[in-house]
Amino acid sequence: MNEVEEVKIESLIYEIRGKQVMLDSDVARLYGYDTKRINEIVKRNIERFPEDFCFQLFKEEILKIENLKSQFATSNLKKHGGTRKIPYAFTEHGIMMLAGMLKSNIAIEVSKRIIYAFINMRKFINENKDIFKRITTIEYKMIEYDENFEKIFDALEPKKVETQKIFFDGEIYDAYSFIIDLIKSSNERIIIIDNYIDKNILDMLTYKKNNVDVTIATSKVNLNKLDINKFNQEYPNLIIKEINTFHDRFIIIDDTLYHLGASIKDLGRKCFGINRIEDKDYLNKIINIISVI
């Protein structure tokens, strides 16, 4: 019996960002390839792998999967000594695209088993949706309790606020984590000023608190109206304004202004800095510019 036959593929499928996905390392193992080789194929043919097919995980998503895998003996992350690079996650569409590019009979046969596993998982979730709903209700209660404890600890132990940070070429994970931490820290409003935004910004904004309003000021809206409407249904309230006044990038978290040395879509691709601007006059001037649009 080979390794593919021994693995219960359903145990390698996770739900991330509302999609059922498999990690690049698990896909590579099933196909009999190195993870590095799989990721090279994706990078060389990135236009064939839109976000509905394949995307890289954020820190919180990696931790979620690691926690889930720690409960099972098939923990691939632990077996290989932990996650060293940001993993890719493949949807079933991405797996089929990958199988076709590998041009291997084994890959094609294995991909059929993977697709059947995705179908079985959807069927299982649908048949047990009432149970999952009750479990989700319990989890929300636990999250509410955790958030209350966090508020108490935050009040007792003030956190050190970084006024500046430099990220070097390739530090994509650290750069995205820094911005996400800023987003999560907001209690009232987030204002993002960036002339080159894409759907990645919506994924990052899913980490904001529910009561936090978001305004994105950009010279050209590259977001689909359907994506914006769907986002607002689940994570209100997002407003996008078209404005040509700004050359540089800024992000405002409540009443704190940060200057970004790179567009959010390019975080970690080149050396850049993030600086906190203390002068409130600059903050108020920028807010006034955006408010009149």
Side-chain angles (χ1 to χ4, degrees):
M1 183 179 293
N2 59 36
E3 184 176 11
V4 175
E5 292 172 338
E6 292 175 352
V7 172
K8 185 173 177 60
I9 296 177
E10 285 84 352
S11 68
L12 305 178
I13 298 174
Y14 305 93
E15 184 166 326
I16 300 293
R17 304 181 198 174
K19 302 180 179 70
Q20 289 181 324
V21 300
M22 290 182 65
L23 295 184
D24 52 8
S25 55
D26 290 328
V27 173
R29 181 158 59 101
L30 293 174
Y31 283 165
Y33 282 77
D34 290 333
T35 306
K36 182 179 180 181
R37 171 63 176 153
I38 294 295
N39 290 338
E40 285 175 352
I41 293 173
V42 173
K43 291 175 182 177
R44 284 204 303 266
N45 301 275
I46 195 66
E47 72 282 354
R48 299 190 182 185
F49 291 91
E51 285 197 8
D52 289 341
F53 285 42
C54 174
F55 54 85
Q56 282 187 296
L57 302 180
F58 294 131
K59 175 176 64 176
E60 289 79 3
E61 294 166 341
I62 296 171
L63 292 175
K64 176 182 176 181
I65 292 178
E66 286 179 334
N67 290 335
L68 287 172
K69 285 203 170 197
S70 67
Q71 301 174 28
F72 300 97
T74 57
S75 174
N76 190 53
L77 288 175
K78 288 185 175 294
K79 184 185 296 183
H80 293 285
T83 305
R84 291 181 293 274
K85 294 185 178 180
I86 307 174
Y88 281 94
F90 290 89
T91 65
E92 56 188 298
H93 302 299
I95 288 170
M96 287 300 292
M97 175 64 73
L98 183 62
M101 299 186 71
L102 292 175
K103 297 179 181 179
S104 160
N105 290 333
I106 294 177
I108 292 172
E109 288 303 315
V110 171
S111 67
K112 291 178 183 177
R113 288 194 57 196
I114 294 174
I115 298 305
Y116 289 140
F118 273 98
I119 293 171
N120 289 336
M121 282 293 291
R122 283 201 296 271
K123 182 179 178 182
F124 174 76
I125 292 171
N126 187 57
E127 290 175 348
N128 296 276
K129 58 186 177 183
D130 291 336
I131 295 174
F132 286 121
K133 185 176 180 180
R134 288 197 291 272
I135 292 173
T136 301
T137 301
I138 294 171
E139 288 179 340
Y140 280 136
K141 285 292 183 184
M142 295 302 295
I143 291 171
E144 183 179 337
Y145 294 145
D146 289 343
E147 287 178 348
N148 289 335
F149 280 121
E150 285 182 7
K151 289 177 182 177
I152 294 172
F153 291 137
D154 287 344
L156 293 174
E157 184 180 354
K159 295 180 179 178
K160 178 184 177 182
V161 178
E162 290 193 82
T163 58
Q164 60 183 7
K165 185 82 174 179
I166 294 178
F167 298 95
F168 295 91
D169 188 13
E171 293 184 347
I172 300 174
Y173 180 86
D174 291 339
Y176 270 89
S177 295
F178 186 89
I179 297 297
I180 289 173
D181 286 342
L182 287 180
I183 289 171
K184 290 169 67 175
S185 71
S186 176
N187 293 312
E188 296 179 8
R189 66 179 174 183
I190 299 170
I191 299 175
I192 296 171
I193 301 167
D194 192 331
N195 289 329
Y196 301 96
I197 60 171
D198 57 20
K199 196 167 177 290
N200 283 328
I201 193 64
L202 297 185
D203 292 332
M204 297 176 75
L205 287 170
T206 61
Y207 291 96
K208 78 179 183 69
K209 295 182 180 74
N210 288 333
N211 61 326
V212 173
D213 295 330
V214 179
T215 300
I216 296 178
T218 182
S219 62
K220 183 178 180 181
V221 179
N222 292 318
L223 293 173
N224 187 301
K225 283 188 177 180
L226 180 61
D227 288 332
I228 296 171
N229 291 337
K230 285 183 177 179
F231 180 90
N232 268 322
Q233 288 175 8
E234 191 169 356
Y235 307 99
N237 294 302
L238 168 65
I239 298 173
I240 297 183
K241 296 185 176 184
E242 289 194 51
I243 181 171
N244 292 310
T245 305
F246 296 95
H247 176 274
D248 284 13
R249 281 76 50 178
F250 300 91
I251 182 169
I252 297 172
I253 304 296
D254 297 334
D255 292 319
T256 304
L257 173 64
Y258 293 88
H259 176 259
L260 307 181
S263 177
I264 290 178
K265 73 178 182 62
D266 294 326
L267 295 179
R269 295 184 183 178
K270 292 183 179 180
C271 180
F272 74 100
I274 298 177
N275 298 286
R276 179 176 173 174
I277 299 175
E278 302 291 349
D279 194 324
K280 295 300 180 183
D281 286 340
Y282 292 131
L283 171 69
N284 293 330
K285 287 179 181 178
I286 289 177
I287 290 175
N288 289 336
I289 292 172
I290 298 212
S291 297
V292 298
I293 301 300

